[in-house]
Amino acid sequence: MTVEGVMVSYNYSDNAEHSNILTVSASGIKFSKRWVLTHGSILSPLKQANVIKNARGKPILNDEFYDNLPEIYVTCEKVKPKTPNMYEKLEILSRERSFDNDDLEHSSYQVRVLTGRICHVWQCPVLDRCVDNILYSWTIGHRDGDQEKQTQLGKALLSVFVLVDLETDDRDFRILRPLSELLDMCQSPPDRGTTIDIHSTPFGCEVFLNAVTRGSVCGVVGKRPSLLLTDAATALGSEGGPVFTTGPNNSLVGAVVCSVSWWRGEWVGLTLAAPLKSVLAAKLRVQQPLPTRTPPSPLYVRILELIDRSTMLVRCGAAWGAGLYLGGGHVLTCAHVVKHHSTHKVSVYCDNVKQFASVRYKTKDDRAYDLALLYVSPAHSTHMLPAVFAEDTAQKGESVLAAGFPYFNETNLEHLKPTVTSGHVNNVSPSLIQTTCCVQSGFSGGPIFRITKELKVEVLGTIVSNAKTETGASYPYINMAVPTKAFIRLVQHFILERDENVLSQIENKKDMIQSQWRLLPYRSKI
């Protein structure tokens, strides 16, 4: 039984005269030759979307609802027959003769369009609870038009899935059978740090049919679980696309449910995916045992453990970020994270331990390098591991990891672990490192890690910010960090000698450096 990514679309008009016909599209998963599973966001322009929203999770079974849904078009790659027959060979020869030997037999030019009808729509309770408990303050989708109305509808459809039948209009067919088949094809959700591929068709454009993006699972929500966060890049129209583990088997593990989202006014920059094993088990009311996973690579476990035990959550009033443990009770973070330390307590969290911290040093507001040094009780920090700093400077193009705390549950910090995203260094100078790691609020003060050839985990720099425009738009894949070599000797000298005058030198007073960190031109006046 094969599984493939497809584009799902239909024609839509918001008036009776059909004077303005639009094509609405999403991605989908075609399986067992006859069925396609896609995401509920494809229904958003239709009146039926409000029916789903008002149903509040109750099954929608009335025929009137389904009879008024549009015909569905499923676009998929055309599979070449292994041994073309005489008629197919003549067709190929005719095309080659007509197009001056252009390589039009390439798969990117060969698509087939199938038609079908929506036979079942349902809301996944596991994902719906996740929306209510964790994503309640998020904005779903682009931020044009009526943002509040769009977000309410987006959240209502986030946990909705749509089954399309490519062979018959008869809704009496038992829809549980194909879903049971798909459940058997799915593997258990991947662990944090697993590399995955997403197959999707962004923007409903055939040119991008089944485009593959690769990334890592940055976070897993819930024990079963109910949601996956990944830094594999997607765009509008990717919803419904299949998520596969990488390797020789390419096991199906999930489906994209949200490609664009915002939190506290910032673009999240991560793709949200639903683990299909959990979604389908809830639909079929199959008791899903806690996943028995193949033990992850001991190397990856060790690397994540080192990152987890040296990276801390830092909070000061409404502000929060990350901190890096240096040893001896000292924690490095960003100055803007603890900007209001004179009026609000500073607290740090790691491995189910909360401590209050004092601020030993803080760069002046809006000055490079925007760093602060905190102090916590060494006696209560024995569970932490001091970070190891790189001796060699960052190199343009090298792969790196970033760690921070963009999302956490206020009422449950027991199992708090940093979100880790991957990328590479795309620019470097003695005073600034720019990376392509996905960085949002909560990463400020977090480390940029390098994995050496000897498999050591070293800190290359401290994350300060991502790029923002004057209108508030945030670009998480364009971000800046302070190189370790710009400050570490001064900090280490202070830890040994307790000479606070040394720390004042961290604030770099050179105009060129200050201009660089304000993203202003810093050409010489000569």
Side-chain angles (χ1 to χ4, degrees):
M1 292 181 289
T2 58
V3 175
E4 63 174 310
V6 296
M7 182 178 79
V8 183
S9 61
Y10 62 86
N11 295 326
Y12 164 76
S13 176
D14 57 2
N15 60 56
E17 283 78 27
H18 301 288
S19 58
N20 185 22
I21 297 178
L22 303 175
T23 298
V24 182
S25 66
S27 300
I29 304 168
K30 182 174 176 285
F31 63 98
S32 298
K33 297 184 179 179
R34 173 177 178 175
W35 307 97
V36 174
L37 182 72
T38 187
H39 185 249
S41 58
I42 196 171
L43 304 175
S44 56
L46 303 176
K47 295 178 181 179
Q48 286 87 341
N50 290 316
V51 175
I52 299 169
K53 178 182 173 183
N54 297 330
R56 298 182 179 276
K58 295 179 182 178
I60 301 172
L61 302 175
N62 64 80
D63 290 333
E64 183 182 355
F65 174 87
Y66 291 96
D67 290 342
N68 292 323
L69 291 173
E71 185 177 40
I72 299 297
Y73 302 99
V74 175
T75 306
C76 45
E77 295 179 58
K78 188 174 182 180
V79 181
K80 278 188 177 182
K82 293 182 180 179
T83 54
N85 60 35
M86 180 178 67
Y87 297 95
E88 290 165 339
K89 288 180 178 179
L90 287 170
E91 180 186 351
I92 293 170
L93 181 60
S94 175
R95 282 202 299 266
E96 289 176 346
R97 193 174 56 182
S98 303
F99 291 101
D100 299 325
N101 293 322
D102 286 338
D103 189 15
L104 296 178
E105 293 305 309
H106 191 275
S107 60
S108 61
Y109 301 121
Q110 302 292 309
V111 299
R112 55 195 176 117
V113 179
L114 310 174
T115 58
R117 301 290 298 188
I118 294 174
C119 64
H120 191 61
V121 176
W122 85 95
Q123 190 170 39
C124 173
V126 174
L127 199 53
D128 194 44
R129 284 194 296 271
C130 183
V131 173
D132 290 340
N133 296 334
I134 297 175
L135 305 181
Y136 57 88
S137 60
W138 288 38
T139 300
I140 303 300
H142 57 80
R143 301 207 298 174
D144 299 332
D146 190 335
Q147 185 175 322
E148 183 177 352
K149 182 178 178 182
Q150 174 187 296
T151 295
Q152 290 176 353
L153 184 59
K155 287 180 180 177
L157 295 177
L158 190 76
S159 56
V160 173
F161 292 87
V162 176
L163 185 65
V164 177
D165 188 348
L166 298 176
E167 290 188 4
T168 179
D169 294 340
D170 185 7
R171 286 194 57 251
D172 292 335
F173 188 89
R174 295 180 180 272
I175 53 92
L176 297 184
R177 187 184 302 169
L179 296 181
S180 179
E181 290 178 8
L182 184 59
L183 177 62
D184 292 337
M185 300 178 197
C186 297
Q187 297 299 315
S188 297
D191 292 309
R192 186 171 67 119
T194 303
T195 302
I196 54 97
D197 284 343
I198 293 176
H199 296 197
S200 66
T201 307
F203 313 117
C205 180
E206 288 183 3
V207 174
F208 304 135
L209 183 64
N210 260 353
V212 178
T213 56
R214 177 166 294 181
S216 300
V217 176
C218 306
V220 178
V221 179
K223 292 182 179 179
R224 299 239 171 234
S226 54
L227 193 67
L228 306 173
L229 305 177
T230 172
D231 58 7
T234 56
L236 290 173
S238 296
E239 287 77 8
V243 180
F244 297 97
T245 55
T246 57
N249 296 326
N250 287 339
S251 301
L252 177 67
V253 293
V256 176
V257 295
C258 183
S259 60
V260 179
S261 56
W262 306 76
W263 192 49
R264 299 194 177 189
E266 287 196 19
W267 176 36
V268 171
L270 295 177
T271 297
L272 310 185
L276 282 177
K277 200 87 171 176
S278 302
V279 171
L280 296 170
K283 171 62 180 175
L284 298 169
R285 298 185 180 180
V286 174
Q287 185 63 36
Q288 185 190 11
L290 289 174
T292 55
R293 307 181 189 279
T294 303
S297 164
L299 170 63
Y300 295 164
V301 171
R302 184 181 69 84
I303 289 172
L304 282 176
E305 182 181 359
L306 291 173
I307 293 173
D308 293 345
R309 293 181 64 187
S310 61
T311 310
M312 314 175 79
L313 171 66
V314 179
R315 303 182 69 183
C316 179
W320 83 101
L324 185 67
Y325 189 65
L326 307 180
H330 295 91
V331 179
L332 182 72
T333 187
C334 276
H336 70 264
V337 173
V338 294
K339 181 177 182 178
H340 301 293
H341 70 96
S342 59
T343 56
H344 294 83
K345 289 183 178 180
V346 178
S347 54
V348 298
Y349 305 77
C350 182
D351 201 16
N352 202 21
V353 175
K354 174 184 176 181
Q355 298 186 67
F356 289 107
S358 60
V359 178
R360 290 291 175 87
Y361 166 78
K362 185 180 81 67
T363 307
K364 292 179 183 178
D365 294 345
D366 301 321
R367 300 284 292 178
Y369 288 110
D370 191 19
L371 295 175
L373 188 65
L374 313 181
Y375 185 75
V376 297
S377 168
H380 292 93
S381 304
T382 55
H383 60 297
M384 300 296 296
L385 289 177
V388 176
F389 290 88
E391 292 291 335
D392 298 328
T393 56
Q395 299 298 313
K396 187 182 291 190
E398 74 168 294
S399 298
V400 290
L401 301 172
F405 298 90
Y407 325 109
F408 54 88
N409 190 336
E410 294 276 359
T411 60
N412 181 18
L413 296 173
E414 293 181 8
H415 305 289
L416 180 70
K417 294 187 183 299
T419 294
V420 179
T421 63
S422 61
H424 64 269
V425 176
N426 55 2
N427 220 336
V428 63
S429 74
S431 54
L432 186 145
I433 298 173
Q434 183 186 340
T435 85
T436 62
C437 297
C438 184
V439 165
Q440 305 106 22
S441 292
F443 273 81
S444 296
I448 296 292
F449 289 107
R450 160 197 283 158
I451 312 299
T452 68
K453 293 180 180 178
E454 296 78 22
L455 303 179
K456 295 179 180 179
V457 181
E458 298 179 343
V459 178
L460 281 174
T462 299
I463 301 164
V464 173
S465 68
N466 53 26
K468 293 183 180 180
T469 64
E470 293 181 355
T471 60
S474 176
Y475 298 89
Y477 291 97
I478 304 175
N479 50 78
M480 285 73 73
V482 184
T484 291
K485 288 202 169 185
F487 63 84
I488 192 58
R489 299 298 180 204
L490 299 172
V491 172
Q492 290 173 338
H493 181 80
F494 167 77
I495 292 175
L496 292 174
E497 304 294 336
R498 304 295 181 189
D499 182 2
E500 295 190 4
N501 293 325
V502 173
L503 294 177
S504 62
Q505 298 177 39
I506 292 177
E507 182 183 322
N508 196 301
K509 295 180 172 59
K510 295 180 180 178
D511 291 339
M512 182 176 290
I513 304 301
Q514 295 297 332
S515 296
Q516 182 189 42
W517 273 95
R518 290 197 299 271
L519 304 183
L520 297 175
Y522 47 91
R523 300 180 183 88
S524 170
K525 296 179 181 178
I526 298 176

